[in-house]
Amino acid sequence: MMTDHNHTSKENNPLKSIEEWEEDILERYPDPASITKEKQEDAFRNYEAPARDTVKEFYRLNHKYQTYDFVQKKKAAFLSFDKKEMPIWDSFDFLNSLVDDSDPDIELDQMQHLLQTSEAIRNDHHPDWMVLVGLIHDMGKVLCLFGEPQWAVVGDTFPVGCAYSDKIVYPEFFKENPDFHNKQYQTKYGIYEPNCGLDNVHLSWGHDEYIYHMMKDYLPEPGLYMLRYHSFYAQHREQAYDHLLSDHDKEMFKWVRLFNPYDLYSKNPNQKSWEELKPYYQDLVHKYLPERLKF
């Protein structure tokens, strides 16, 4: 199997920007009623919209290379958090370097995207720890700046080590994945037990799992579910893996579904300036997080 070190530049970065993935999600799942009232419920899953070639290629690579062994390798490489240490504010500056100035479709830096999410949560008077989740939920995208390919950082997440659901976007591309030909991995439960609980299930590698592990000692459990599973669309939108969830998971996924609309649909063109918001967020970060974070 080809390792990620041997990938071409085009294979590492098929998307013009990592935001193309989220734009594709918006085409598949337009604004839900909880945020936007104008659309009918039957318009929420829009699979008829033609996909951009770059997004399709992104998922081909994601589904080809996200094997069970790949996930274990990435967890071993990154969950030791020995790459960099810095205050959270430095990490946002670091993250902002992901913006491609040559892309005319990108107008906001990563920090502004995160602030839009957190401010929408705050304006709806949710607990302050959920506001913090909004602020940090995509911070794991710094993996791109550590040399990781886009398809190992963003994208819909899914379990590895068991059969792929046809509810996952572009399921036909899994035929290129070596695990597709491993009989142990291609039964309904694979290496897992019925309703074993997601804490015992390995999902495809990306920014969700990374930021969850970074924050698991600092936030309440509902916030950790939001971080860990916000890209697990096959479950929180399609309920494709109920057979692996514990009763506790099913209860906690109410929080993931609560968070999802703020993640995707809280775009506010009249966002307050960072200078206005800074005192509140400095106090919030100080309340929950250490002065320096390990990446």
Side-chain angles (χ1 to χ4, degrees):
M1 175 183 169
M2 181 186 292
T3 68
D4 48 310
H5 296 295
N6 294 328
H7 296 151
T8 65
S9 176
K10 190 173 181 179
E11 282 187 309
N12 280 337
N13 301 296
L15 304 176
K16 288 183 291 185
S17 74
I18 56 177
E19 272 60 52
E20 276 196 282
W21 163 59
E22 292 184 353
E23 291 165 9
D24 179 68
I25 293 172
L26 290 173
E27 290 184 3
R28 285 184 278 138
Y29 301 107
D31 297 13
S34 57
I35 293 292
T36 299
K37 306 296 183 183
E38 289 82 2
K39 290 182 181 290
Q40 298 297 315
E41 291 285 342
D42 60 5
F44 290 172
R45 290 181 59 204
N46 180 11
Y47 290 106
E48 301 304 317
R52 290 175 293 278
D53 289 343
T54 52
V55 173
K56 194 169 184 178
E57 176 63 5
F58 166 84
Y59 277 110
R60 186 187 73 81
L61 296 167
N62 174 276
H63 292 358
K64 179 178 182 178
Y65 292 122
Q66 286 270 6
T67 65
Y68 179 85
D69 288 344
F70 177 85
V71 169
Q72 305 311 312
K73 171 186 168 185
K74 292 303 177 181
K75 286 184 174 182
F78 285 101
L79 297 186
S80 55
F81 297 104
D82 57 358
K83 305 294 183 289
K84 199 174 182 73
E85 184 175 331
M86 55 188 160
I88 190 171
W89 310 113
D90 290 357
S91 73
F92 287 128
D93 290 339
F94 189 41
L95 193 64
N96 281 344
S97 65
L98 275 174
V99 174
D100 182 356
D101 291 335
S102 68
D103 187 344
D105 297 325
I106 300 295
E107 297 179 354
L108 296 175
D109 60 30
Q110 295 291 313
M111 182 67 171
Q112 287 300 312
H113 283 299
L114 296 175
L115 282 172
Q116 286 184 336
T117 303
S118 59
E119 279 294 283
I121 293 169
R122 182 186 176 195
N123 290 339
D124 283 350
H125 308 292
H126 291 297
D128 63 355
W129 56 259
M130 185 172 169
V131 178
L132 182 58
V133 168
L135 184 70
I136 66 175
H137 74 281
D138 277 347
M139 203 163 69
K141 291 178 182 178
V142 298
L143 288 168
C144 283
L145 300 169
F146 294 137
E148 289 302 283
Q150 290 171 344
W151 49 261
V153 177
V154 297
D156 300 27
T157 57
F158 52 86
V160 294
C162 62
Y164 306 113
S165 168
D166 62 4
K167 300 295 186 183
I168 303 169
V169 61
Y170 294 119
E172 64 272 20
F173 289 143
F174 285 117
K175 292 179 181 178
E176 295 187 57
N177 190 306
D179 288 357
F180 185 82
H181 306 286
N182 184 327
K183 291 182 179 179
Q184 183 186 15
Y185 293 164
Q186 291 309 309
T187 62
K188 180 177 181 178
Y189 296 102
I191 63 173
Y192 309 114
E193 297 294 327
N195 302 111
C196 61
L198 287 180
D199 202 41
N200 297 304
V201 174
H202 297 280
L203 297 190
S204 53
W205 173 252
H207 71 285
D208 306 55
E209 187 73 5
Y210 179 68
I211 193 63
Y212 158 74
H213 281 279
M214 187 186 296
M215 294 294 161
K216 66 181 181 180
D217 293 333
Y218 307 121
L219 291 174
E221 187 179 25
L224 296 176
Y225 265 78
M226 293 173 182
L227 291 176
R228 197 175 198 180
Y229 302 116
H230 69 272
S231 302
F232 190 10
Y233 289 92
Q235 181 55 39
H236 67 72
R237 285 301 189 95
E238 309 287 356
Q239 291 79 52
Y241 289 94
D242 279 350
H243 55 284
L244 295 179
L245 271 62
S246 66
D247 288 341
H248 184 64
D249 288 328
K250 292 174 184 177
E251 181 66 25
M252 297 304 291
F253 257 66
K254 294 176 182 177
W255 292 99
V256 182
R257 289 190 290 273
L258 173 65
F259 175 75
N260 179 248
Y262 294 102
D263 180 15
L264 292 181
Y265 312 109
S266 54
K267 303 297 184 284
N268 179 7
N270 301 312
Q271 179 71 50
K272 292 181 180 178
S273 72
W274 171 236
E275 288 306 313
E276 293 176 275
L277 298 173
K278 189 175 181 179
Y280 170 81
Y281 283 100
Q282 285 181 325
D283 288 344
L284 180 63
V285 166
H286 180 72
K287 178 178 178 179
Y288 287 99
L289 300 181
E291 185 177 343
R292 298 176 69 85
L293 292 171
K294 293 183 178 180
F295 289 81

